[in-house]
Amino acid sequence: GICGLSIDVSSQRNELKDALARQQEFFDNLQRAREGERERIAADIHDDIGQHLTALRTELLGLQEDPDIEPDALNRAVSSALTKVDSVLAEVRRICAQLHPHLLRQLGLAEALRSRCVDTAARTGHSFTVDCDSYEPAISPNDELELFRIAQEVLTNIERHANARNVSVRLTSAGEAEGTARIVLEVSDDGTGFDPADLRTRRTLGLSLMRERARRLQAAIEVESSVGPDARRAVGTRVRVEVPTN
């Protein structure tokens, strides 16, 4: 009896230690992800907004130093300056949308996802197929935000690492007739693929956070990908998330 009790307590202590270690690992990953996101935002501001503002300042200084500028030249300079202002405003909106997807609150998950895909396609040249027609909202706004963040992470990974040409995004409601109602998000690409088991890659951090978001949704997540024998060969990656709604 005493020996058995000692074994049980020891087992529970080990389980608690493992749980605390996993929790600490998640928080460490989360902190690294936040720092990485800050670095990306700083790079966006410096590389895009900073360059546009520097060019705009140069043009305005040129106008200031040339009081006798001809009307046609003035019009061209003003038009060029306005184009740069428009570019800065567009970049600010893009960064703000990444930080807080306002369309998600205003129009819902399907429209926010479509908008994110349109933005990515315009920036990268990827060809997108987006199907959200059968989606019926059945989860809370906070859960929709979690699912959107998973999709956002997948699309960011595709943009940065996949070298893909085509991307498919599907958001559907399924299983209601069978009593297993669920929302299914599936994102796939025809890129070079990666090894999900390779803990040395930066992408693993994103996968860890996606799995944690899925856990909070009580959802199942599948990540299928592989690296081809030839780095130029398109292998592809598929991420599927199923969120129960009943």
Side-chain angles (χ1 to χ4, degrees):
I2 296 176
C3 181
L5 178 62
S6 175
I7 292 173
D8 288 342
V9 170
S10 176
S11 175
Q12 290 176 359
R13 185 183 296 116
N14 289 336
E15 290 177 2
L16 178 60
K17 190 185 292 185
D18 290 343
L20 290 174
R22 287 194 299 270
Q23 185 180 54
Q24 185 61 51
E25 181 183 10
F26 168 72
F27 284 126
D28 289 344
N29 285 341
L30 182 60
Q31 184 61 31
R32 287 196 295 271
R34 285 174 174 167
E35 290 301 325
E37 189 62 26
R38 291 187 183 114
E39 289 178 11
R40 289 194 290 268
I41 292 171
D44 285 343
I45 292 173
H46 178 271
D47 295 343
D48 296 322
I49 296 178
Q51 288 180 6
H52 284 305
L53 290 177
T54 299
L56 179 59
R57 182 177 184 277
T58 300
E59 289 188 7
L60 293 177
L61 284 174
L63 293 177
Q64 185 182 46
E65 293 169 359
D66 188 4
D68 299 324
I69 188 171
E70 295 293 329
D72 288 345
L74 176 61
N75 287 335
R76 287 194 298 272
V78 170
S79 177
S80 176
L82 289 174
T83 298
K84 289 180 176 62
V85 170
D86 289 340
S87 296
V88 170
L89 290 174
E91 188 64 17
V92 169
R93 292 190 189 102
R94 184 183 71 81
I95 292 173
C96 289
Q98 284 186 325
L99 294 173
H100 182 73
H102 63 280
L103 283 179
L104 185 62
R105 299 299 189 192
Q106 294 176 355
L107 301 177
L109 178 58
E111 288 305 315
L113 196 54
R114 286 193 185 97
S115 177
R116 181 67 168 81
C117 292
V118 168
D119 177 68
T120 302
R123 194 168 57 256
T124 65
H126 292 151
S127 175
F128 272 81
T129 301
V130 182
D131 179 10
C132 302
D133 293 343
S134 68
Y135 171 69
E136 294 292 337
I139 55 178
S140 71
N142 286 338
D143 286 349
E144 281 199 330
L145 178 59
E146 292 280 13
L147 192 55
F148 178 82
R149 291 301 190 194
I150 293 175
Q152 189 176 45
E153 183 64 37
V154 176
L155 293 175
T156 297
N157 282 339
I158 291 172
E159 181 177 347
R160 290 188 179 142
H161 306 292
N163 296 318
R165 291 191 300 270
N166 301 291
V167 183
S168 172
V169 179
R170 296 180 66 245
L171 179 69
T172 60
S173 298
E176 188 171 354
E178 297 83 9
T180 56
R182 60 195 185 278
I183 293 168
V184 179
L185 169 69
E186 186 169 295
V187 184
S188 59
D189 67 70
D190 61 353
T192 53
F194 67 100
D195 183 359
D198 187 356
L199 298 179
R200 294 169 298 176
T201 62
R202 185 174 181 85
R203 184 189 292 253
T204 302
L205 177 59
L207 288 175
S208 175
L209 294 175
M210 284 191 288
R211 289 191 176 107
E212 177 59 25
R213 292 187 188 279
R215 187 192 66 78
R216 290 202 292 265
L217 289 169
Q218 297 183 320
I221 181 168
E222 298 176 2
V223 180
E224 296 179 355
S225 186
S226 60
V227 180
D230 184 339
R232 294 168 296 179
R233 176 187 168 196
V235 176
T237 299
R238 183 180 72 94
V239 178
R240 180 182 175 91
V241 184
E242 294 193 8
V243 184
T245 60
N246 56 3

